[in-house]
Amino acid sequence: MKWRLFPAFVLILILGAATLSKLERPGLAEESWTSIYYPQAALGSAGELSFTTQLTLYNPQPVSVTAIPLFISASGGEQDWEAVTLGPNESSLLTLESEGPLSVGQLQLSTSAPIGESLKYVITQADGTTREEISVGSTEPATEFLLPVNNDGIHRSAFAVANPSSEMLSLALTLFDSDGFIVQEGELQLPARGQLARYIHELEGFAFLKPGFIGTLDIQASTAFTAMGLAENQNDNHLSSLRPFSPRAAEEATQLSEGAFVAHYPQSAFGFHVDSSLM
């Protein structure tokens, strides 16, 4: 038997995401807590590989800060971990894992005050050796995202979207070519707390997208969601993220006081699906 690696969003299309049991979270004073969102995440095992998430946290505050990570599978199941409290200038490395089968979804980090954070996914082989480590950036919720599309024959464009709310979300998709003309429109339904990832050419009505197409995908909704662009290199099956642009966030940035600028960009994405075939 030979094991091959493919992007994790393929797992959603072929196997579906496993549902994790819902756990109760400690009561939070919502008005004082903030959340950090990652629209693409994976935990668990698939074949000979296991998938864990590592969060590095740093507290720049003059008081103690508490952080609680929460994984939400694509079907809405939840898994959370014990809260960690960091004193002033303290840091901590959290390793998040699941003993169940590989599950794809979104990750949310709730903190009692703003903190520094970085996240990476670690893929481990059966013998305990590390197969790969991939950094992932967070995305601020917004009602519109623009994602670059580049199907140049080597890369294939995709995206991941996640709904952090408890209401069903309708996403309006508009594909522009490189000259700014609309070439296709579509719609997706995202369940409450749901997540999905798709190749753009696999969307209904988008099969015409052939190698050589360059453009932009506009995704809008009436309430805030998170998104990230994905690009698969077909030569080595490597998956990387494409930074999303939020017009609303850009508008708000221009309203900041002079000399202040806020930037928060995802750097790369993670995801693998294990496929087996008999030799």
Side-chain angles (χ1 to χ4, degrees):
M1 179 177 291
K2 181 180 179 181
W3 296 97
R4 296 179 296 166
L5 292 177
F6 293 93
F9 49 83
V10 179
L11 175 70
I12 303 176
L13 306 179
I14 299 176
L15 300 179
T19 301
L20 301 174
S21 60
K22 185 173 182 179
L23 303 177
E24 293 297 327
R25 309 185 76 199
L28 305 180
E30 295 184 0
E31 66 276 3
S32 62
W33 285 67
T34 60
S35 294
I36 301 170
Y37 300 88
Y38 302 88
Q40 175 81 345
L43 291 173
S45 299
E48 299 177 339
L49 301 179
S50 62
F51 300 76
T52 59
T53 296
Q54 290 187 355
L55 276 169
T56 300
L57 307 178
Y58 170 72
N59 178 20
Q61 306 292 340
V63 296
S64 294
V65 173
T66 300
I68 307 175
L70 171 68
F71 175 78
I72 306 173
S73 72
S75 56
E78 296 183 1
Q79 178 171 338
D80 61 2
W81 291 262
E82 292 184 1
V84 58
T85 299
L86 303 176
N89 297 317
E90 288 186 350
S91 60
S92 179
L93 175 62
L94 305 182
T95 298
L96 313 179
E97 54 190 358
S98 171
E99 296 181 355
L102 180 61
S103 182
V104 179
Q106 59 180 305
L107 185 72
Q108 297 180 11
L109 179 66
S110 298
T111 63
S112 57
I115 63 172
E117 48 77 29
S118 65
L119 181 148
K120 69 177 179 180
Y121 295 96
V122 181
I123 306 170
T124 306
Q125 300 180 136
D127 61 4
T129 59
T130 299
R131 179 65 176 264
E132 192 165 1
E133 297 182 348
I134 305 96
S135 296
V136 178
S138 57
T139 302
E140 295 291 338
T143 56
E144 181 180 10
F145 288 99
L146 299 174
L147 306 174
V149 178
N150 179 16
N151 282 21
D152 59 9
I154 298 177
H155 299 89
R156 292 195 300 180
S157 292
F159 65 93
V161 288
N163 180 5
S165 75
S166 58
E167 302 291 335
M168 173 75 75
L169 196 61
S170 179
L171 302 175
L173 311 178
T174 305
L175 182 65
F176 296 86
D177 63 18
S178 58
D179 294 319
F181 294 102
I182 296 176
V183 295
Q184 187 57 279
E185 295 178 312
E187 187 175 12
L188 285 176
Q189 301 299 317
L190 197 57
R193 313 277 278 178
Q195 187 265 5
L196 66 82
R198 293 289 186 270
Y199 288 108
I200 296 176
H201 70 272
E202 291 180 338
L203 296 170
E204 183 177 357
F206 289 74
F208 68 90
L209 204 62
K210 304 299 181 182
F213 182 88
I214 305 295
T216 303
L217 180 67
D218 181 281
I219 307 177
Q220 297 189 41
S222 58
T223 57
F225 63 101
T226 63
M228 66 189 310
L230 301 168
E232 178 200 11
N233 186 317
Q234 298 181 80
N235 290 336
D236 57 12
N237 289 328
H238 178 71
L239 185 68
S240 59
S241 73
L242 301 174
R243 185 176 67 206
F245 172 73
S246 171
R248 177 63 61 85
E251 179 182 346
E252 292 176 351
T254 62
Q255 298 174 358
L256 296 177
S257 60
E258 184 176 357
F261 180 75
V262 175
H264 195 84
Y265 300 140
Q267 300 300 317
S268 61
F270 154 80
F272 287 96
H273 162 233
V274 180
D275 180 40
S276 61
S277 59
L278 295 176
M279 299 301 292

